[in-house]
Amino acid sequence: MDRAARHAHEPRSSADVVGEHSQYRLDLERVRFSPYFSRLSAVTQVIGQPGAGPLIHNRLTHSIKVTAVARAISVKMTDAASPTRDFALAHGCDAVVVQAAASAHDLGHPPFGHLGERVLDRLARDTLGLPDGFEGNAQTYRIITTLDVSEVAPRGLNLTAAVRSAVAKYPWTRHVDVAALGDGPLPRGFRRTDRGVEVLKFSAYGIDAADLSEARDGHPPFRQSLECSIMDIADDIAYSIHDVDDFHRAGLLGQGAVAREFRGWIESGLQLRDLDDEELARRSAPPGSALEALRRKLHTSDPWIAGDEAFRAAVGVVADDLVDGLLASPFDGSIAAERALSSFTNRWIDHLQSSVVPAPEGVVRAGLVTLDERAWHEVEILKFVHRHFILDRSDIVMYQRGLSRVIARAVKGLTAWLRDEDDRDRVPLRLRELVEIATDGYAQLRTTRPAGVPVPDASEVRTLGVGRGVVDYVASLSDDQALAVSEAIDGRPDRLWDIGQNL
């Protein structure tokens, strides 16, 4: 059987598993030897390394740790003594598939983390006219199936269907038929608005939709594979803990502000329930208001698991272990500080990866596995600390606004160069190649016409190819490369030679 067509959900004999395991090992090696994987060492996770030091996580170290957590979960689920073994084997749970997907899951992240993702999406849709815009998960799928190279395939890494399916966290396109979702709860990645259902997250652009459909043949619509669900939950676990690690190490997570918020909710939670949403959002709102807003949000978005008692317990546990524990002593780089941080991180990782259970039947907001009620609430509280006390800081937002202009200069400058009839022949070779690959993809859409995917007119194919090629190019740069390209396009020679042969 063609290795690219082997599906994770198909029944497997013991002989099958031996052969498949070697095929999946090839997938894992192809991902880890990819230049796109190496590039992640120079892409921001949350805090840029130049301003915070070399011990802060980047996308590569994050991916490595997600892989370790995902492997531990899959091995535990398939252990001979595990009560989840039959469930795991029935749905397909190979630890190497999970590792390959976890290693690949962030390949599509552009420079500057999620900020770059938002800016590229806006530019792709509003400036370049790409109906799909930009999405990091879809870019990952595009890399492994089309943009990366392997000696055994003309394009892409020639990964098995099981691994490709396991990478697809949001297994649909931006133009999926939302009517099929009905009027009930929506899977993660969708949002219901006054104008209808909006697709926020998706795992394939229209030009890659046929490959995703082939990889997922036999899987229920809108449902991750089990191996994907394990990778997804490992990602959640890793970044909820490692972001706290980074912020504490960088001195950005002060105990005073965090303690004030937690104590405010613990002591005045019942009174805070009397405030309306607008009062909770005011700058003059009392301490604990942000946690109360989170409690309400969880009840609205995830009523299948959100509960007041579990929320209160999670706030208490995080307050004890993080606020009154880890943050009580500022990180000073000493061995004692490193030991305290390591103990905190390892304790939480061990607890959370041991808290993965099969999800209840029929819950569309969860994958096939989820965290148990206690751990689920704890992770939501830990992610709240990251969002509220770091991402909303004015200094970080100010810096990100500057980085958004870096991305915009690169995209607009490269697009103008490609459209310059007198000078476009001198565009970097790799950019020209990416434009041709994208143009071929849009031309093929006119022949294959996959269901639910907008088909371009013949006159639009080249324009769309240029737009997608530019996005593919900019998204493949490291943080430093994006800065250098942007400054060179802007006529600043300061970092010209930093680009070198990497164009």
Side-chain angles (χ1 to χ4, degrees):
M1 176 180 289
D2 180 2
R3 65 188 307 278
R6 189 59 161 126
H7 296 279
H9 63 277
E10 293 174 355
R12 307 180 194 180
S13 68
S14 57
D16 285 338
V17 171
V18 174
E20 286 178 6
H21 198 77
S22 65
Q23 295 297 308
Y24 299 150
R25 178 64 60 181
L26 284 176
D27 289 351
L28 176 59
E29 290 173 355
R30 287 176 183 174
V31 170
R32 288 182 173 173
F33 278 86
S34 163
Y36 284 92
F37 186 69
S38 299
R39 162 190 165 268
L40 295 179
S41 66
V43 178
T44 294
Q45 173 71 7
V46 176
I47 308 171
Q49 289 181 322
L55 299 182
I56 297 301
H57 287 86
N58 53 51
R59 287 283 165 189
L60 179 61
T61 54
H62 166 73
S63 295
I64 291 170
K65 292 180 180 182
V66 172
T67 302
V69 174
R71 182 184 185 282
I73 294 170
S74 60
V75 168
K76 181 177 182 295
M77 289 193 70
T78 55
D79 184 82
S82 173
T84 60
R85 178 177 171 82
D86 290 344
F87 167 84
L89 295 181
H91 288 89
C93 184
D94 188 293
V96 182
V97 171
V98 173
Q99 290 177 81
S103 295
H105 85 281
D106 264 355
L107 294 180
H109 264 288
F112 315 131
H114 290 293
L115 175 278
E117 188 173 11
R118 292 193 299 272
V119 174
L120 271 179
D121 183 45
R122 174 175 55 79
L123 291 167
R125 290 201 274 180
D126 298 345
T127 302
L128 302 177
L130 297 173
D132 291 329
F134 177 86
E135 214 284 328
N137 294 284
Q139 194 68 20
T140 291
Y141 199 84
R142 181 159 175 74
I143 287 168
I144 63 174
T145 59
T146 304
L147 302 183
D148 211 339
V149 295
S150 169
E151 63 180 8
V152 297
R155 288 179 185 169
L157 294 179
N158 194 35
L159 304 181
T160 57
V163 170
R164 282 145 53 216
S165 180
V167 171
K169 292 168 66 171
Y170 305 93
W172 49 78
T173 70
R174 177 159 251 161
H175 301 282
V176 66
D177 179 14
V178 294
L181 294 168
D183 298 325
L186 297 174
R188 288 182 307 124
F190 293 93
R191 179 174 63 191
R192 206 178 296 279
T193 69
D194 294 340
R195 295 168 295 178
V197 175
E198 182 180 1
V199 182
L200 302 175
K201 293 284 187 179
F202 54 98
S203 282
Y205 302 122
I207 49 178
D208 306 311
D211 189 285
L212 178 63
S213 178
E214 186 277 328
R216 285 183 45 79
D217 182 33
H219 286 287
F222 307 109
R223 171 69 79 175
Q224 297 172 337
S225 70
L226 174 59
E227 289 150 334
C228 179
S229 187
I230 292 172
M231 176 273 288
D232 193 8
I233 210 162
D235 187 24
D236 237 19
I237 290 171
Y239 90 73
S240 69
I241 302 302
H242 294 136
D243 282 355
V244 171
D245 180 314
D246 283 348
F247 305 147
H248 179 54
R249 189 184 295 278
L252 296 177
L253 201 56
Q255 187 200 30
V258 183
R260 188 162 50 251
E261 178 66 23
F262 274 73
R263 288 171 186 157
W265 190 87
I266 291 171
E267 295 170 1
S268 306
L270 292 178
Q271 292 90 327
L272 289 170
R273 293 192 187 190
D274 294 333
L275 301 180
D276 60 32
D277 293 345
E278 185 176 330
E279 290 174 310
L280 289 177
R282 290 175 184 166
R283 293 183 63 85
S284 58
S289 295
L291 273 169
E292 172 60 19
L294 173 66
R295 185 192 68 81
R296 297 180 188 184
K297 175 183 177 298
L298 296 181
H299 274 286
T300 300
S301 62
D302 290 283
W304 65 278
I305 193 171
D308 287 342
E309 287 305 315
F311 186 87
R312 176 172 289 278
V315 170
V317 168
V318 175
D320 289 342
D321 205 11
L322 175 63
V323 183
D324 297 329
L326 182 67
L327 301 185
S329 300
F331 185 83
D332 59 8
S334 66
I335 292 176
E338 289 285 5
R339 181 175 289 115
L341 184 53
S342 176
S343 175
F344 173 88
T345 300
N346 291 338
R347 184 169 62 252
W348 274 95
I349 291 292
D350 287 346
H351 160 54
L352 294 175
Q353 68 187 17
S354 298
S355 302
V356 176
V357 296
E361 291 278 346
V363 175
V364 300
R365 288 280 296 176
L368 285 169
V369 291
T370 185
L371 291 167
D372 63 30
E373 184 184 31
R374 170 189 171 186
W376 186 90
H377 283 83
E378 290 166 346
V379 165
E380 291 299 325
I381 300 298
L382 288 166
K383 290 193 294 185
F384 162 82
V385 172
H386 148 227
R387 288 192 305 268
H388 186 70
F389 295 101
I390 299 297
L391 295 187
D392 290 343
R393 286 172 56 122
S394 296
D395 51 355
I396 290 181
V397 173
M398 183 184 300
Y399 179 60
Q400 288 183 331
R401 288 179 66 86
L403 294 178
S404 70
R405 289 194 288 273
V406 170
I407 296 285
R409 277 200 304 266
V411 168
K412 293 177 180 178
L414 292 170
T415 303
W417 193 358
L418 282 162
R419 292 172 178 170
D420 185 343
E421 295 183 3
D422 296 327
D423 200 30
R424 63 187 177 194
D425 290 340
R426 295 194 292 171
V427 164
L429 177 59
R430 188 160 66 91
L431 175 55
R432 294 204 304 270
E433 291 173 332
L434 291 174
V435 168
E436 292 307 317
I437 290 172
T439 301
D440 289 347
Y442 285 111
Q444 289 174 14
L445 272 185
R446 292 181 49 77
T447 301
T448 58
R449 297 178 176 269
V453 175
V455 177
D457 294 334
S459 60
E460 298 175 313
V461 167
R462 182 63 184 178
T463 300
L464 293 173
V466 167
R468 181 58 63 194
V470 168
V471 169
D472 288 341
Y473 181 81
V474 173
S476 72
L477 300 174
S478 68
D479 291 3
D480 279 349
Q481 286 174 326
L483 285 164
V485 167
S486 178
E487 290 180 5
I489 284 176
D490 209 32
R492 297 178 58 186
D494 307 8
R495 307 183 59 171
L496 177 62
W497 306 116
D498 290 350
I499 309 172
Q501 294 299 313
N502 291 320
L503 280 172

